[in-house]
Amino acid sequence: MSTIETAKLEEHMEGQPNGTSNGYSRPTLSVSEENKNGASKPKGLSNGLRKTAKKYPDYIQIAMPAESRNKFPLEWWKTGIAFVYALFNLILTTVMITVVHERVPPKELSPPLPDKFFDYIDRVKWAFSVSEINGMILLGLWIFQWLFLRYKSIVGRRFFFIIGTLYLYRCVTMYVTTLPVPGMHFQCAPKLNGDSQAKVQRILRLISGGGLSITGSHILCGDFLFSGHTVVLTLVYLFIKEYSPRHFWWYHLICWLMSAAGIICILVAHEHYTVDVIIAYYITTRLFWWYHSMANEKTLKVSSQTNFLSRAWWYPIFYFFEKNVQGSVPCSFSWPISWPPSCFKSSCKKYSRVQKTGEDNEKST
Amino acid sequence: MKEVVLWSPEEVTSWLTDSAVPEYCEPLKNFTGRDLINLTEEDFKKSPLSRVSSDSGQRLLNMIEGLKMAHHMEAHKNGHTNGHVRAGDAARQNGFGAALKLNGVPNGFKKEMIKIPMPEPERSQYPMEWGKTFLAFIYALFCFVFTTVTISVVHERVPPKEVQPPLPDAFFDRFDRVQWAFSICEINGMILVGLWFVQWLLLKYNFAHVYTRRGKKKVWNTVLQQSIISRRFFCIVGTLYLYRCITMYVTTLPVPGMHFKCSPKLFGDWESHLRRIMKLIAGGGLSITGSHNMCGDYLYSGHTVILTLTYLFIKEYSPRRLWWYHWLCWALSMVGMFCILLAHDHYTVDVVVAYYITTRLFWWYHTMANQQVLKEASQTNLLARVWWYKPFQYFEKNVQGIVPRSYHWPLRCPALARGRQVKYSRLVSDT
């Protein structure tokens, strides 16, 4: 009976778009016609099932909420909001760096703090470029992977929100206490002392260069606690691993190695204190796992007495983004650009019953 | 399906056939269920059973055992209570009705106690497991001692305040130092710890009875809940101090203010090191006791950890209706944290990071502890990817559900208190 119900509901949904394909423009009419005529050649699977359904006229329609609606609605506008949020936080961070730069004590007055890693390992000059190159490769890989995801909007939304929040936290920790430069090799730009125009120019330069030293845009000091490079390296690796097939172990391993090498190179280059890197790693992993656990588990999405995860300050925003996402986003891929309809539609049609209805809706739109 | 004792010979025969031992049908054709159960090995040594049985009836006896277990029978007990060791003999002659008459009581009705297997019949929902609590205590103690050692080590590396002036801090720019503020912070901390300890003592386990193998048993009410909660406290505070060791050790921040009077450096004098460590432990790490005059333990703030954590525990494990109590503790906690900064005893980032890590760890741990589904590692359960997940499972695997929060006065007001508690046990458990 349940299969008949499923078929019946699927027919209701597919009734409109597939109306012409079955040769009936009004599928509801066709059922009554069949009843009148009593016999008709079964045209495709749906008619055959309809006929069997006739044998059980006293069936009760069970409303199945998940079937009648897409389990993973795209909602690109929410992704847009998340993007704006991330952009805002990125700009705020840039502004904050410029502000903090004014307060960094000069390295003659305030020498680098004692750091365990620096005691054991001397500075290697080219290591920071390695770190930044790794970061750029990982980011490129992630964008490439993201383009092929089926549920781009949902995953993109999550990425923007998490990275935005991490940069927001970074603003706070950078601003409240200013650490001195970690090494005497730092060439900090001169202080501006109130020249707002020059400050705006610096901000724009920093944004356009992506905050990387390799592009020559990052000449400002003071943004040490916590390390933005570590955040990006860790977060991109976590996303790559989470949203790729599990059997791609070689891919995961390569990304992990690049990420780890990048992080170690930050320290080897004496560009950040060890505590900056550790705290960045900790906060990134915790936020990522926290967010995804809440998103995957139905019981954790609702705020309740036993659900302590909902006590984070960003829970309302999270709920706004994720309330229509039912369950764990499956790891499925699709071509980013849709081919001309004739190439795909015919082959998918045959398997329409095997594939989920959500996929069919996407393909046909 | 009828109970085995109530089987007639026909049912016995049909069971024997169904169980693929039809060779016994003939010799046992007048056996009732009762006789079947009372079969022993001796019976198989004599005819007629010895003739048909190839393995001295082992297989059949095993199957009968299985039957008995499936029907929760204790045949020997019945045999004794009914006054017949071998009720089978009489029954074989007289049939089922005779068995009834002999006993005077239909079997399985009044005198029998059928045991219905409860999911956890021998254990309570909240087992005591003091061993685990003790382990958690040892862990916390170890982390405390380790922190003290780390502070002592880090102290050697703090740059002198002349060489490395205090770092610029947003709070210090706006608020000047107030000398007595740090004492307030520490007093608040001590009050909160005291309140938490008293609250812990007053905890009560909700269910008065615990089901063991021998039936219902009354158990010491107070200890069960206390065991679990103190275990959690020790685990969390230990882990927080462990994290603190790491952040303190890797990078050494300079003193936050010129008012600091750091003890002189020891440069490898182990004995004095040890003495300092002892002094710090004995004083509980507080400046108010005069034990803490070492510098370098800034990132992150241990005082903030204690203030925040005790408040979180107090709030979590106290009845919801005591809102004024929660507000009081919250105020103590907030004032304490503010006073740390006012006294210029920690950088702002130390307090912020400490608050963040403490709250996140507390919420993470308790969410996992309260939801059964999170206690198993799975693909969707990303909370299980923390490094302390295995120890967490070990500590919390037998705790099913939420530890109820209910209290009772330690002094006995016999009729009044006890009666009242029992009446509302169902209501109280829901708050």
Side-chain angles (χ1 to χ4, degrees):
Chain A
M1 276 295 278
S2 56
T3 45
I4 297 170
E5 290 303 323
T6 318
K8 193 176 186 310
L9 283 166
E10 284 195 40
E11 280 174 38
H12 276 296
M13 285 177 291
E14 289 169 16
Q16 266 71 44
N18 295 343
T20 45
S21 54
N22 284 342
Y24 292 97
S25 52
R26 300 271 300 280
T28 44
L29 252 182
S30 70
V31 177
S32 54
E33 275 176 12
E34 270 181 71
N35 285 336
K36 275 194 234 152
N37 298 342
S40 67
K41 245 194 285 182
K43 285 189 181 142
L45 226 51
S46 47
N47 288 351
L49 272 173
R50 240 185 261 145
K51 283 192 84 173
T52 34
K54 273 198 306 180
K55 286 186 195 166
Y56 306 94
D58 52 333
Y59 55 75
I60 300 168
Q61 189 170 62
I62 303 160
M64 308 212 294
E67 294 284 350
S68 59
R69 209 184 326 149
N70 196 354
K71 269 177 86 168
F72 306 106
L74 292 180
E75 291 178 318
W76 277 103
W77 59 280
K78 287 189 179 173
T79 310
I81 294 178
F83 175 70
V84 169
Y85 171 73
L87 201 65
F88 169 74
N89 281 324
L90 219 61
I91 295 177
L92 185 69
T93 306
T94 323
V95 170
M96 201 61 77
I97 294 178
T98 317
V99 165
V100 163
H101 175 79
E102 305 295 312
R103 295 158 32 135
V104 175
K107 53 195 185 198
E108 296 77 27
L109 280 181
S110 206
L113 301 176
D115 189 291
K116 260 302 158 198
F117 193 91
F118 297 174
D119 290 344
Y120 294 129
I121 310 222
D122 288 326
R123 178 173 185 245
V124 174
K125 218 184 282 203
W126 43 263
F128 202 54
S129 314
V130 170
S131 162
E132 296 199 323
I133 290 171
N134 277 3
M136 291 195 285
I137 295 176
L138 276 173
L139 203 56
L141 279 175
W142 164 238
I143 292 176
F144 186 72
Q145 185 180 323
W146 176 77
L147 283 173
F148 281 89
L149 283 173
R150 182 178 291 287
Y151 301 106
K152 283 192 267 293
S153 66
I154 300 176
V155 178
R157 196 185 308 162
R158 293 175 176 179
F159 182 76
F160 290 135
F161 175 73
I162 295 179
I163 207 167
T165 310
L166 286 170
Y167 269 78
L168 185 67
Y169 286 164
R170 192 171 169 230
C171 286
V172 171
T173 58
M174 268 198 305
Y175 177 69
V176 286
T177 305
T178 316
L179 265 56
V181 296
M184 299 303 278
H185 62 275
F186 267 78
Q187 313 282 345
C188 299
K191 300 205 176 162
L192 289 172
N193 297 321
D195 185 359
S196 315
Q197 210 181 12
K199 280 192 190 166
V200 172
Q201 267 177 341
R202 272 190 184 165
I203 292 173
L204 289 172
R205 186 173 168 184
L206 194 56
I207 295 178
S208 61
L212 300 172
S213 296
I214 214 171
T215 56
S217 64
H218 198 10
I219 38 163
L220 302 171
C221 302
D223 60 329
F224 301 120
L225 194 72
F226 50 88
S227 162
H229 286 79
T230 310
V231 165
V232 172
L233 284 165
T234 314
L235 191 67
V236 168
Y237 165 69
L238 286 170
F239 266 95
I240 285 180
K241 177 139 193 252
E242 183 68 16
Y243 294 103
S244 61
R246 244 163 287 292
H247 52 268
F248 278 12
W249 60 268
W250 45 271
Y251 179 52
H252 297 162
L253 188 64
I254 292 176
C255 291
W256 185 86
L257 284 171
M258 278 207 284
S259 177
I263 294 175
I264 293 184
C265 282
I266 297 177
L267 293 174
V268 168
H270 289 209
E271 285 277 327
H272 269 289
Y273 292 106
T274 316
V275 75
D276 306 342
V277 169
I278 289 179
I279 290 185
Y281 170 81
Y282 180 85
I283 295 186
T284 309
T285 45
R286 269 34 178 191
L287 186 61
F288 180 86
W289 292 334
W290 189 298
Y291 188 100
H292 279 80
S293 298
M294 287 219 286
N296 289 343
E297 202 66 49
K298 240 192 178 57
T299 48
L300 297 177
K301 259 193 201 165
V302 285
S303 177
S304 76
Q305 209 53 41
T306 57
N307 179 17
F308 295 83
L309 296 187
S310 60
R311 298 191 190 182
W313 65 269
W314 45 266
Y315 175 73
I317 311 175
F318 160 84
Y319 190 69
F320 164 70
F321 282 140
E322 299 282 337
K323 68 180 173 220
N324 290 331
V325 178
Q326 321 267 352
S328 176
V329 174
C331 179
S332 49
F333 295 88
S334 67
W335 293 105
I337 315 162
S338 46
W339 294 90
S342 54
C343 283
F344 269 133
K345 248 203 182 148
S346 50
S347 61
C348 277
K349 260 261 191 325
K350 275 191 206 141
Y351 301 109
S352 65
R353 212 141 301 286
V354 175
Q355 279 182 351
K356 284 196 226 169
T357 41
E359 294 179 13
D360 269 344
N361 282 343
E362 271 204 58
K363 276 233 154 43
S364 50
T365 48
Chain B
M1 199 172 151
K2 254 173 34 177
E3 283 192 33
V4 185
V5 265
L6 305 173
W7 282 4
S8 62
E10 289 78 31
E11 281 164 326
V12 170
T13 312
S14 78
W15 176 76
L16 287 171
T17 325
D18 288 346
S19 308
V21 283
E23 64 264 24
Y24 291 108
C25 284
E26 176 56 32
L28 300 181
K29 68 171 179 250
N30 284 327
F31 267 50
T32 64
R34 196 159 182 65
D35 306 327
L36 192 68
I37 293 167
N38 292 333
L39 275 176
T40 62
E41 280 190 45
E42 268 68 52
D43 299 325
F44 286 91
K45 294 207 174 97
K46 302 183 310 204
S47 79
L49 284 168
S50 59
R51 270 187 276 125
V52 291
S53 172
S54 52
D55 56 349
S56 318
Q58 273 311 308
R59 191 158 156 250
L60 184 63
L61 283 174
N62 286 342
M63 291 199 296
I64 295 173
E65 279 303 312
L67 252 191
K68 276 200 274 189
M69 280 192 333
H71 290 256
H72 303 293
M73 280 312 302
E74 291 180 27
H76 296 291
K77 197 165 103 176
N78 291 345
H80 283 294
T81 49
N82 292 340
H84 291 268
V85 177
R86 299 273 303 278
D89 288 332
R92 212 179 296 143
Q93 284 142 24
N94 301 332
F96 180 58
L100 272 180
K101 273 199 224 119
L102 282 167
N103 302 337
V105 150
N107 289 336
F109 284 163
K110 280 188 196 142
K111 276 199 183 166
E112 316 268 345
M113 302 279 273
I114 312 270
K115 190 159 134 179
I116 302 162
M118 307 262 277
E120 298 276 335
E122 292 128 34
R123 271 184 279 164
S124 76
Q125 232 187 340
Y126 307 103
M128 278 195 267
E129 293 181 319
W130 278 111
K132 290 188 180 173
T133 307
F134 184 66
L135 201 62
F137 173 69
I138 296 291
Y139 169 66
L141 201 66
F142 166 75
C143 290
F144 265 116
V145 172
F146 191 57
T147 305
T148 322
V149 171
T150 310
I151 294 178
S152 188
V153 165
V154 162
H155 174 80
E156 303 296 310
R157 297 164 23 146
V158 174
K161 54 193 183 199
E162 297 76 25
V163 171
Q164 179 80 271
L167 301 176
D169 190 289
F171 191 92
F172 296 175
D173 292 343
R174 289 166 178 76
F175 291 89
D176 288 324
R177 181 172 182 245
V178 173
Q179 207 155 342
W180 38 264
F182 203 58
S183 315
I184 294 188
C185 156
E186 297 200 320
I187 291 172
N188 278 5
M190 290 195 287
I191 295 177
L192 277 173
V193 170
L195 280 174
W196 166 234
F197 185 64
V198 167
Q199 186 178 320
W200 177 79
L201 280 177
L202 292 178
L203 279 169
K204 171 192 180 292
Y205 182 56
N206 203 28
F207 306 109
H209 295 111
V210 162
Y211 288 94
T212 62
R213 201 185 293 263
R214 295 200 189 87
K216 266 185 344 183
K217 188 177 100 157
K218 240 190 190 175
V219 134
W220 263 49
N221 290 352
T222 38
V223 296
L224 286 121
Q225 212 172 354
Q226 287 174 336
S227 163
I228 298 168
I229 292 178
S230 55
R231 188 188 314 166
R232 292 177 176 176
F233 183 76
F234 290 137
C235 280
I236 296 179
V237 88
T239 311
L240 288 170
Y241 269 76
L242 190 66
Y243 286 165
R244 193 174 169 229
C245 288
I246 297 175
T247 58
M248 270 198 303
Y249 180 69
V250 287
T251 305
T252 317
L253 265 58
V255 295
M258 299 302 279
H259 61 275
F260 268 81
K261 297 186 178 33
C262 304
S263 311
K265 301 200 178 167
L266 290 172
F267 299 118
D269 183 3
W270 299 114
E271 266 191 50
S272 312
H273 261 291
L274 215 56
R275 237 178 284 137
R276 270 189 186 167
I277 292 173
M278 292 297 164
K279 186 175 171 189
L280 191 57
I281 296 178
L286 300 171
S287 300
I288 213 171
T289 57
S291 62
H292 195 15
N293 36 30
M294 289 196 275
C295 303
D297 60 327
Y298 301 119
L299 195 71
Y300 52 83
S301 162
H303 286 80
T304 310
V305 165
I306 295 291
L307 287 166
T308 314
L309 196 65
T310 45
Y311 165 66
L312 287 169
F313 266 95
I314 285 176
K315 177 141 191 251
E316 182 57 25
Y317 293 106
S318 62
R320 235 177 294 287
R321 57 180 192 276
L322 296 179
W323 59 268
W324 47 271
Y325 176 55
H326 296 164
W327 271 103
L328 178 70
C329 292
W330 182 86
L332 280 173
S333 178
M334 283 289 133
V335 165
M337 290 205 278
F338 189 75
C339 283
I340 296 176
L341 294 175
L342 204 59
H344 289 210
D345 249 59
H346 269 291
Y347 292 106
T348 316
V349 75
D350 306 342
V351 172
V352 166
V353 169
Y355 171 81
Y356 181 85
I357 295 185
T358 309
T359 45
R360 267 41 179 185
L361 187 62
F362 180 86
W363 290 336
W364 193 296
Y365 189 102
H366 277 79
T367 306
M368 288 214 291
N370 287 341
Q371 314 261 2
Q372 199 58 33
V373 68
L374 296 175
K375 286 192 190 166
E376 292 119 37
S378 74
Q379 210 55 44
T380 56
N381 178 18
L382 283 92
L383 294 182
R385 297 193 193 178
V386 285
W387 64 270
W388 43 268
Y389 187 64
K390 286 269 155 56
F392 162 81
Q393 272 184 317
Y394 166 70
F395 281 126
E396 298 281 335
K397 66 175 178 238
N398 289 331
V399 178
Q400 322 251 353
I402 311 160
V403 177
R405 48 182 99 168
S406 43
Y407 294 88
H408 78 322
W409 293 108
L411 309 163
R412 309 229 156 190
C413 287
L416 200 65
R418 205 42 93 79
R420 206 191 298 163
Q421 288 297 344
V422 169
K423 254 189 231 161
Y424 295 116
S425 68
R426 210 146 299 287
L427 277 177
V428 172
S429 71
D430 287 336
T431 53

